[in-house]
């Protein structure tokens, strides 16, 4: 099995706010991320797929197909958007790195057919990221 | 806030990187001077030398639907600050960290020591620790089975 990783970058804004919490509780739990006007990040997304190279093309999957899927499912949905208000898949969820990575996994998994989605790693900043794996698969590959 | 409709199908880990600077000297009292010099090379310099270490900490757990978080970053940051950054940053690993009284402070041993210090984090499960000694060398430890 070979792992192939494609990286893309997008920029988006968000804020953390739970309507079930009091204003004081929102500030305490979410800190600066609770600013009602929102704030933004340059996100870096690494998508890793797993498969055997096709004996004729030598490819695990056609990178053009993966690029198109990432453009359609991630860039068009999320790039230069306000995640809380413009991404319906996040409705009712706090748009943390963990939740956003999971939504991206759920968008990509059914679309990647030639190979199998192995890992989604989403960096919110260079020092903060979330990894998604299929449950039951080994997560401890070298990062 | 609504819970995740596909809970359980995806495993999620939260990764956080921390930075500290420290010095060390690689020298084993079980080896002769010549052997120390041969095995550790420049790292055996008696005055020591330093690195800017990067520590990558990965934790897993269920995402709390009320906060969207596996663990509150302020809690994780505070724990790592107290257990690792405060005792290690701008220190000599050999002289200032008791764990290296008996063990050589290679980054392999440093990685295991950091894992040992962080595995009691109460708010999520520690999956693994990766320590980068330089941009060309990194070490990863996920605990021994049954002991991690």
């Amino acid at each position: 099995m070979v792992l192939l990783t494609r990286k893309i970058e997008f920029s988006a804004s968000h804020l953390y706010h739970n309507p079930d919490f009091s204003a004081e509780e929102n500030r305490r739990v979410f800190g600066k991320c609770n600013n009602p006007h929102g704030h933004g990040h340059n996100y870096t997304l690494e998508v890793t797929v797993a498969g055997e190279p096709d004996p004729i093309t030598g490819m695990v999957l056609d990178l053009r197909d993966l690029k198109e899927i990432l453009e359609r499912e991630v860039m068009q949905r999320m790039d230069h958007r306000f995640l809380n208000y413009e991404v319906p898949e996040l409705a009712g969820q706090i748009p943390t790195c963990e939740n956003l990575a999971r939504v991206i996994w759920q968008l990509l998994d059914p679309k990647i057919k030639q190979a199998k989605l192995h890992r989604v790693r989403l960096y919110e900043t260079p020092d903060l990221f979330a990894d998604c794996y299929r449950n039951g698969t080994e997560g401890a590959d070298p990062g | 806030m609504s819970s995740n409709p596909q809970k359980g199908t995806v495993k999620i880990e939260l990764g956080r990187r921390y930075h500290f600077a420290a010095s060390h000297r690689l020298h084993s009292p079980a080896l002769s001077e010549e052997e120390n010099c041969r095995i550790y090379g420049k790292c055996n310099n008696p005055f020591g030398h330093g690195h800017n270490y990067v520590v990558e900490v990965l934790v897993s757990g269920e995402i709390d639907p009320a906060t969207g978080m596996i663990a509150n970053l302020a809690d994780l940051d505070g724990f790592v600050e107290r257990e690792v950054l405060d005792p290690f940053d701008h220190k000599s690993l050999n002289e200032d960290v008791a764990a290296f009284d008996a063990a050589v402070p290679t980054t392999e041993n440093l990685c295991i020591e950091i894992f040992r210090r962080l595995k009691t984090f109460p708010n999520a499960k520690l999956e693994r620790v990766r320590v980068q000694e330089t941009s060309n060398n990194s070490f990863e430890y996920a605990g021994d089975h049954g002991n991690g």
Side-chain angles (χ1 to χ4, degrees):
Chain A
M1 189 178 74
V2 177
L3 301 179
L4 180 155
T5 300
R6 175 82 187 165
K7 181 172 90 170
I8 60 168
E9 295 176 351
F10 62 92
S11 303
S13 55
H14 69 175
L15 72 97
Y16 296 172
H17 181 85
N18 186 333
D20 299 335
F21 289 171
S22 68
E24 191 278 326
E25 214 174 352
N26 268 298
R27 271 195 303 275
R28 183 177 56 74
V29 174
F30 298 126
K32 285 193 290 188
C33 300
N34 186 234
N35 172 13
H37 302 294
H39 62 281
H41 296 286
N42 296 325
Y43 290 92
T44 299
L45 175 68
E46 291 175 1
V47 175
T48 302
V49 301
E52 296 296 337
D54 180 287
I56 294 168
T57 65
M59 298 172 176
V60 171
L61 86 174
D62 190 328
L63 263 183
R64 275 178 308 185
D65 294 341
L66 183 57
K67 280 161 76 173
E68 274 172 27
I69 291 168
L70 294 177
E71 172 66 28
R72 198 170 56 243
E73 301 298 330
V74 180
M75 294 302 279
Q76 287 180 17
R77 264 194 182 79
M78 298 174 186
D79 188 35
H80 287 73
R81 302 285 184 183
F82 201 121
L83 298 174
N84 300 65
Y85 308 132
E86 297 187 274
V87 179
E89 289 79 8
L90 279 164
Q93 300 181 51
I94 312 281
T96 56
C97 198
E98 296 96 306
N99 271 335
L100 187 53
R102 182 172 60 187
V103 161
I104 290 172
W105 174 284
Q106 288 165 352
L107 287 167
L108 296 180
D109 191 36
K111 299 288 194 272
I112 294 171
K113 304 215 191 305
Q114 275 173 282
K116 208 163 184 182
L117 185 57
H118 175 74
R119 185 181 83 175
V120 163
R121 171 171 284 193
L122 180 69
Y123 286 92
E124 186 176 281
T125 72
D127 288 337
L128 175 66
F129 59 90
D131 283 342
C132 286
Y133 298 93
R134 200 174 307 281
N135 218 349
T137 59
E138 183 53 62
D141 62 336
Chain B
M1 305 297 281
S2 64
S3 62
N4 170 38
Q6 294 190 35
K7 183 179 166 184
T9 60
V10 181
K11 180 178 184 190
I12 304 186
E13 297 178 358
L14 178 70
R16 184 76 157 146
R17 283 187 185 152
Y18 302 93
H19 305 258
F20 71 88
S23 62
H24 70 170
R25 180 201 183 197
L26 304 187
H27 181 89
S28 170
L31 300 171
S32 69
E33 288 301 319
E34 293 74 31
E35 277 174 317
N36 268 297
C37 200
R38 182 174 56 77
I39 292 171
Y40 296 122
K42 284 195 289 189
C43 300
N44 187 235
N45 171 9
F47 298 106
H49 64 281
H51 297 287
N52 295 323
Y53 291 94
V54 180
V55 180
E56 195 173 284
V57 177
L58 286 109
V59 299
S60 67
E62 293 295 328
I63 297 178
D64 179 347
T67 63
M69 299 170 179
I70 290 174
N72 196 311
L73 273 185
D75 295 335
L76 182 62
D77 289 352
F79 191 80
V80 175
E81 180 88 31
R82 197 168 61 246
E83 298 295 327
V84 176
L85 303 181
D86 280 349
F88 291 6
D89 189 35
H90 286 71
K91 297 288 170 66
S92 158
L93 298 178
N94 302 67
E95 305 298 327
D96 296 318
V97 180
F100 300 117
D101 288 348
V104 181
T106 57
T107 308
E108 290 91 324
N109 280 335
L110 180 61
C111 205
I112 293 170
E113 175 61 13
I114 292 173
F115 187 94
R116 190 189 68 73
R117 286 167 178 252
L118 296 182
K119 73 179 175 186
T120 54
F121 180 59
N123 303 5
K125 177 178 183 287
L126 180 65
E127 289 285 339
R128 60 188 182 276
V129 166
R130 192 171 76 91
V131 179
Q132 197 174 297
E133 181 180 74
T134 69
S135 52
N136 294 327
N137 294 338
S138 69
F139 303 83
E140 209 167 316
Y141 186 66
D144 288 331
H145 288 296
N147 191 31

